[in-house]
Amino acid sequence: MSDLIPLHFLSRGEVAEIDQLVGGAEDVHRLEELGLRSGVMIEMLQPGTPCIVSLAGHRLCFRQNDTVGILVRAGVAR
Amino acid sequence: MPASNTAPPITVALIGNPNTGKSTLFSALCGVRQRVGNFPGVTVEKKVGQTSFHDRAFSIVDLPGSYSLAPRSPDEMVAVDVLLGRQDAVDAPDVVLCIVDASNLERNLYLVSQVLELGRPTVLALNMVDVAKEKGITLDLEALADRLEIPVVAVQANKRIGLTELKAALAAAVNRKSSPLPSPFPEAFQREVELLVESGVRPRYLAERLLLDTSGYLAAAEIPGVGRDTHSAVTEARERLSNAGVPIPAVEAMCRYQWVGEVTRGIFQREPARERGLTDRIDRVLTHRWLGSLFFAFVMVVMFQSVFYVAEPASALIDGMNEYASNLVMQWLAPGALRSLLISGVIEGVGGVLVFLPQIFVLFFFIAILEDCGYMARAAYLMDRLMSRVGLSGKSFIPLLSSFACAIPGIMAARVIENPKDRLVTILIAPLMSCSARLPVYTLLIGAFIPDRRYLGVIGLKGLTMFAMYAIGIVAATVVALVLRRTIVKGAAPPFVMELPSYKLPGLDIVVHRVLERGWSFVRRAGTLIFAVTIVVWAAGYYPRNPANIDPSLLAAQTRLEAELDKLNEAAPEVDEQRRERMVELADVQGRIAGQYLRFSVLGRMGQLIEPAVKPLGWDWRIGCAAIASLPAREVVIATLGVIYNLGEEESESSETLAQTLKKAKWEESGQLVFNTPVALSIMVFFALCAQCASTLAVMRRETNSWKWPAFTFVYMTVLAYLGAMVTYQVGMLFVAS
């Protein structure tokens, strides 16, 4: 089991599993509706702020702020 | 609806996630047979199209694209209202047509699960099956239809494949019995929903949403049957649920995705991606920090250059048409009120505004293409870095860019921003973007009063001035956003999440349709509001036409000169030296009489009243009047300037262009020219910053649901405009003097 890290620590091409979304219930709910939820695999396409991740072949760009963040479990083989 | 039909049309509500090809499917089904309007009371765009199948007519309502049927904005509220049959303007739909992207089924089914809970007959259109196959996705269509218990039709909307089958399924679905999907929620939750339903909140879906909506949007929306009692009941229910270990609202995503997992288990497989798709390869460049920003700058330059490129030939063409029309009227009509109205009012006024139609077409054409091909989302991504510094997000970019064409669609586009504070600030600064209605002012004044100089061979001073006007708006918007974010709309920059759709070739019909739609709404404004204001301004400048106000010696001189000319005409038909002298003299006298009539008109008296206020900006009373008359709609200023300065001219010269007229205008007391470069710049800065658009303020009122914000915007922008214009003129005059 690898450690939990914030999403934006991933480097280009790295694949990880979303472990949990942290933040206000309303913001987290929105992210989940868009498909960002625990258990799904994501790939970092463009690191930075905001970053672009691929989620089941679809691209989302995401910038976390003080109130919402995504924790991922990295080091999962692609 | 075709006349041959007697049966009422089948009402279909079309709903789906953004980027699923919903607009493409709508266009493919309805073609040009669509009408765009607004849902009453809200500015949500209502698109209704017609189609038919075996003599049965369909009326298709295109609902705003949405990831979830959870109303947290006016857009989403309308979708829910229509689907529940609570929208007065639209009949409760006979069938719900839900479009999903086959390659993104899991997330799309989230919305489907909400739709199915409504219990209306539903048909699922599975779009982009070809793309899904290429991505290595396999899906058992029949098994999916069995599990969902609704018809599922594979379509490729962009290639018009599967449309006949889809229509057949829609027609067949009307009479199908349908029962709502069993609630995916845990029992404790369902019990609470049941309690709410018993207390009078109906239908069940609405009760569910009330329980789940922690954003407060539904609580604030006035829903019949939902009173204060309901809200306290909801609060108590949430507490009970929380104690029972059912987290609100997180339980929804948990339960729905669990349902999605069950529905797709064993019938939906995705091979791990073998190689990068075309979109990802393009994105390597276009979202790259430097290369992407460079490309973005290039796109913006090309876009705005094209707008200015068409400006000149188009104006020349339409100016020519105006002149031709003026000449025709002069041949047909004797001098008098009607001729003055037609030439000074209608042709100069409305015609002067239509000159800018080509530029508006070009700007909307670019925006439509950028949106439809998928680049706009990348631009928003790139801009987020800058926007987040002033407390906004990349999502504000699209509304603000649209505002360069027109603030009204821009403010409406701000609906995609979920964060209410973020959305409010975007709405408040949107009118600072130089919209296409300011272009007429810039083009006219730059053309007439900015010298044609070039630097380094290619950079023209005229172009630079135009750029500066756009820049002033952007800089002001940045400062205002920063100030607002630190004072009255405080709060941290919101998180930012946005889907980046796959690139595709823009659909020609969609682009053309959007451009025509916007262009037409501009023409309609020119034909109604601007026309009306033009006539009012003309009348205020023409009446009361009392000869008693005119210097009697001038009137006498006119009569004498006319009589002399008549005599000369009878004596010899050819123009000689003597007659030419008389004609010049007569023109001068007539010009002065016209000037006096204008000065004693309603408009003239008002103008003299405000002259002290506008003098520090370098304006004479006529410019002041034009600026005030254009408060309801700024593009009117061209018409008004035309009317005011033409009324003060002898009519024989009214066929000259407005620019020529302005160049000759003189201060009444000193006889000095009114316009010079600082005056022109001062007017332009004023127009760049002022909130002269009643429609924008009205839309702002509807979108913010309060008169407070449009009033605030009007005040802050007018103050900004006045100060900006004053500084521009005063500083400009220092340069002219030295």
Side-chain angles (χ1 to χ4, degrees):
Chain A
M1 269 298 185
S2 51
D3 292 333
L4 291 186
I5 54 167
L7 171 72
H8 64 267
F9 278 25
L10 294 179
S11 49
R12 189 193 302 275
E14 212 173 337
V15 176
E17 181 187 340
I18 296 184
D19 187 85
Q20 53 180 304
L21 309 180
V22 287
E26 195 55 40
D27 286 332
V28 167
H29 196 192
R30 273 273 178 201
L31 294 182
E32 287 174 335
E33 285 175 350
L34 275 152
L36 287 168
R37 57 196 168 99
S38 61
V40 301
M41 304 295 290
I42 55 171
E43 180 188 348
M44 178 60 75
L45 292 180
Q46 192 80 255
T49 314
C51 61
I52 301 177
V53 294
S54 164
L55 181 99
H58 289 262
R59 288 153 301 274
L60 288 174
C61 73
F62 174 70
R63 169 169 51 75
Q64 66 176 20
N65 71 349
D66 306 339
T67 57
V68 177
I70 299 177
L71 293 177
V72 298
R73 202 172 288 284
V76 187
R78 191 185 149 88
Chain B
M1 176 182 12
S4 61
N5 284 323
T6 45
I10 298 170
T11 316
V12 179
L14 174 61
I15 189 162
N17 278 194
N19 308 313
T20 48
K22 194 166 69 68
S23 315
T24 314
L25 179 65
F26 183 75
S27 287
L29 282 173
C30 305
V32 291
R33 293 163 64 194
Q34 43 179 290
R35 277 175 301 117
V36 181
N38 276 342
F39 288 104
V42 280
T43 45
V44 177
E45 194 178 70
K46 179 181 125 190
K47 249 162 99 180
V48 182
Q50 314 291 333
T51 187
S52 59
F53 176 70
H54 287 317
D55 279 348
R56 192 71 202 265
F58 289 88
S59 168
I60 302 183
V61 185
D62 188 18
L63 295 175
S66 181
Y67 293 106
S68 166
L69 212 51
R72 269 167 289 197
S73 69
D75 253 26
E76 295 166 333
M77 192 72 218
V78 161
V80 173
D81 280 346
V82 169
L83 291 178
L84 292 177
R86 294 176 63 245
Q87 241 297 333
D88 301 337
V90 181
D91 295 333
D94 299 310
V95 191
V96 179
L97 173 56
C98 206
I99 179 170
V100 299
D101 173 356
S103 68
N104 200 0
L105 195 62
E106 298 104 318
R107 193 193 68 201
N108 278 259
L109 281 177
Y110 185 95
L111 177 69
V112 174
S113 86
Q114 293 174 324
V115 170
L116 289 180
E117 265 196 75
L118 302 174
R120 293 205 176 270
T122 305
V123 172
L124 194 71
L126 197 63
N127 196 20
M128 305 196 239
V129 273
D130 48 338
V131 180
K133 200 173 263 174
E134 273 170 35
K135 283 188 177 172
I137 287 169
T138 48
L139 173 66
D140 185 342
L141 215 77
E142 278 169 33
L144 183 67
D146 276 348
R147 290 188 187 176
L148 295 174
E149 297 179 22
I150 54 168
V152 176
V153 183
V155 295
Q156 288 174 51
N158 54 347
K159 292 178 188 147
R160 301 173 162 269
I161 295 175
L163 298 187
T164 314
E165 293 84 345
L166 186 61
K167 287 185 201 174
L170 287 171
V174 177
N175 301 320
R176 257 173 56 110
K177 275 256 175 275
S178 64
S179 49
L181 182 84
S183 171
F185 289 100
E187 235 170 85
F189 186 89
Q190 290 184 41
R191 266 200 306 277
E192 296 293 350
V193 171
E194 215 41 62
L195 283 177
L196 279 178
V197 172
E198 278 163 25
S199 79
V201 183
R202 290 201 179 87
R204 187 186 85 176
Y205 187 74
L206 205 58
E208 220 168 67
R209 291 267 49 109
L210 265 178
L211 211 46
L212 288 168
D213 178 49
T214 50
S215 73
Y217 185 85
L218 263 186
E222 284 157 22
I223 299 168
V226 177
R228 198 167 292 168
D229 300 347
T230 320
H231 295 313
S232 49
V234 165
T235 316
E236 285 163 25
R238 282 193 197 142
E239 249 165 59
R240 283 194 293 272
L241 285 171
S242 154
N243 292 337
V246 181
I248 304 286
V251 64
E252 182 176 24
M254 261 154 49
C255 297
R256 293 203 191 280
Y257 279 121
Q258 197 181 350
W259 175 85
V260 170
E262 283 159 19
V263 166
T264 52
R265 183 167 305 136
I267 60 171
F268 177 82
Q269 260 105 36
R270 186 193 297 276
E271 274 175 43
R274 284 152 295 191
E275 57 183 61
R276 293 260 164 266
L278 183 62
T279 293
D280 286 341
R281 273 178 282 155
I282 297 176
D283 266 348
R284 282 298 283 259
V285 178
L286 295 193
T287 61
H288 186 271
R289 196 166 192 139
W290 303 117
L291 293 177
S293 307
L294 213 63
F295 182 79
F296 170 71
F298 171 75
V299 169
M300 290 296 113
V301 167
V302 168
M303 179 165 122
F304 284 105
Q305 277 299 320
S306 313
V307 170
F308 305 139
Y309 186 73
V310 297
E312 225 158 290
S315 328
L317 183 75
I318 298 185
D319 267 343
M321 276 158 49
N322 286 351
E323 197 180 318
Y324 178 73
S326 295
N327 285 334
L328 271 187
V329 172
M330 286 213 284
Q331 278 172 22
W332 288 342
L333 285 174
L338 182 62
R339 175 160 134 178
S340 172
L341 169 67
L342 284 179
I343 293 177
S344 298
V346 179
I347 296 175
E348 278 294 321
V350 176
V353 173
L354 288 183
V355 171
F356 305 98
L357 194 57
Q359 300 167 38
I360 285 165
F361 271 139
V362 172
L363 197 57
F364 278 120
F365 177 73
F366 270 93
I367 290 181
I369 288 201
L370 292 181
E371 269 183 345
D372 204 47
C373 74
Y375 183 71
M376 206 60 118
R378 273 71 184 183
Y381 157 80
L382 289 168
M383 289 304 285
D384 182 70
R385 244 173 253 150
L386 293 177
M387 312 282 273
S388 60
R389 289 202 194 146
V390 294
L392 296 174
S393 81
K395 283 216 173 152
S396 301
F397 173 71
I398 299 172
L400 293 179
L401 183 67
S402 305
S403 298
F404 280 111
C406 176
I408 295 165
I411 287 173
M412 284 163 64
R415 269 192 240 117
V416 298
I417 306 169
E418 305 94 10
N419 184 293
K421 286 179 178 171
D422 206 7
R423 178 159 169 251
L424 179 62
V425 174
T426 308
I427 289 175
L428 295 181
I429 62 170
L432 279 171
M433 302 297 120
S434 272
C435 66
S436 49
R438 273 134 164 152
L439 262 181
V441 187
Y442 299 162
T443 317
L444 173 76
L445 295 175
I446 288 176
F449 299 105
I450 302 299
D452 198 3
R453 274 190 220 136
R454 288 196 170 272
Y455 304 102
L456 304 172
V458 282
I459 306 166
L461 186 58
K462 289 180 186 238
L464 273 181
T465 312
M466 183 75 90
F467 176 76
M469 289 306 133
Y470 278 81
I472 283 173
I474 297 171
V475 170
T478 312
V479 174
V480 172
L482 264 176
V483 171
L484 286 176
R485 268 326 212 155
R486 305 227 156 132
T487 53
I488 46 180
V489 200
K490 254 187 217 159
F496 169 54
V497 56
M498 188 182 61
E499 190 175 1
L500 300 177
S502 297
Y503 289 110
K504 68 181 177 77
L505 283 176
L508 192 65
D509 48 346
I510 290 182
V511 169
V512 168
H513 194 84
R514 276 190 205 156
V515 171
L516 288 180
E517 217 172 81
R518 300 275 174 241
W520 173 239
S521 91
F522 179 79
V523 172
R524 216 169 38 208
R525 264 162 71 81
T528 52
L529 180 66
I530 297 172
F531 181 69
V533 174
T534 307
I535 289 180
V536 169
V537 170
W538 170 83
Y542 193 83
Y543 295 107
R545 210 167 179 76
N546 187 357
N549 289 332
I550 307 297
D551 185 353
S553 66
L554 280 176
L555 288 175
Q558 180 178 257
T559 320
R560 177 177 54 82
L561 286 165
E562 275 171 357
E564 283 178 18
L565 271 172
D566 277 349
K567 213 177 281 168
L568 286 171
N569 278 342
E570 276 165 34
E574 74 273 10
V575 179
D576 56 8
E577 194 57 39
Q578 199 187 7
R579 197 183 324 172
R580 195 168 291 135
E581 252 172 50
R582 292 287 184 284
M583 281 164 79
V584 170
E585 213 176 316
L586 179 63
D588 181 53
V589 169
Q590 282 175 336
R592 287 200 215 182
I593 292 176
Q596 292 201 351
Y597 271 127
L598 179 60
R599 187 205 294 252
F600 287 102
S601 69
V602 177
L603 189 70
R605 283 167 207 260
M606 267 170 32
Q608 277 145 33
L609 215 65
I610 60 155
E611 194 165 80
V614 296
K615 230 172 178 174
L617 314 184
W619 303 1
D620 74 344
W621 67 266
R622 291 175 288 195
I623 305 176
C625 271
I628 288 179
S630 54
L631 282 182
R634 54 174 67 84
E635 56 268 50
V636 163
V637 74
I638 299 298
T640 331
L641 281 175
V643 173
I644 297 179
Y645 281 100
N646 263 311
L647 281 173
E649 298 280 329
E650 64 275 38
E651 280 187 24
S652 60
E653 285 192 35
S654 65
S655 65
E656 70 185 2
T657 67
L658 182 55
Q660 287 166 330
T661 312
L662 296 184
K663 276 183 178 166
K664 291 196 313 194
K666 293 190 176 100
W667 282 91
E668 276 164 13
E669 312 89 79
S670 62
Q672 284 184 323
L673 290 176
V674 173
F675 285 88
N676 57 14
T677 308
V679 171
L681 285 174
S682 145
I683 299 176
M684 284 191 272
V685 168
F686 186 87
F687 274 79
L689 299 176
C690 196
Q692 298 157 305
C693 185
S695 316
T696 299
L697 296 175
V699 166
M700 214 179 253
R701 138 97 186 96
R702 279 190 288 187
E703 295 289 304
T704 61
N705 208 13
S706 144
W707 278 113
K708 186 171 101 189
W709 295 116
F712 170 79
T713 306
F714 182 78
V715 171
Y716 98 75
M717 285 181 69
T718 309
V719 169
L720 216 58
Y722 187 86
L723 295 179
M726 187 158 73
V727 169
T728 308
Y729 173 71
Q730 301 294 349
V731 172
M733 283 314 277
L734 295 180
F735 283 94
V736 172
S738 65

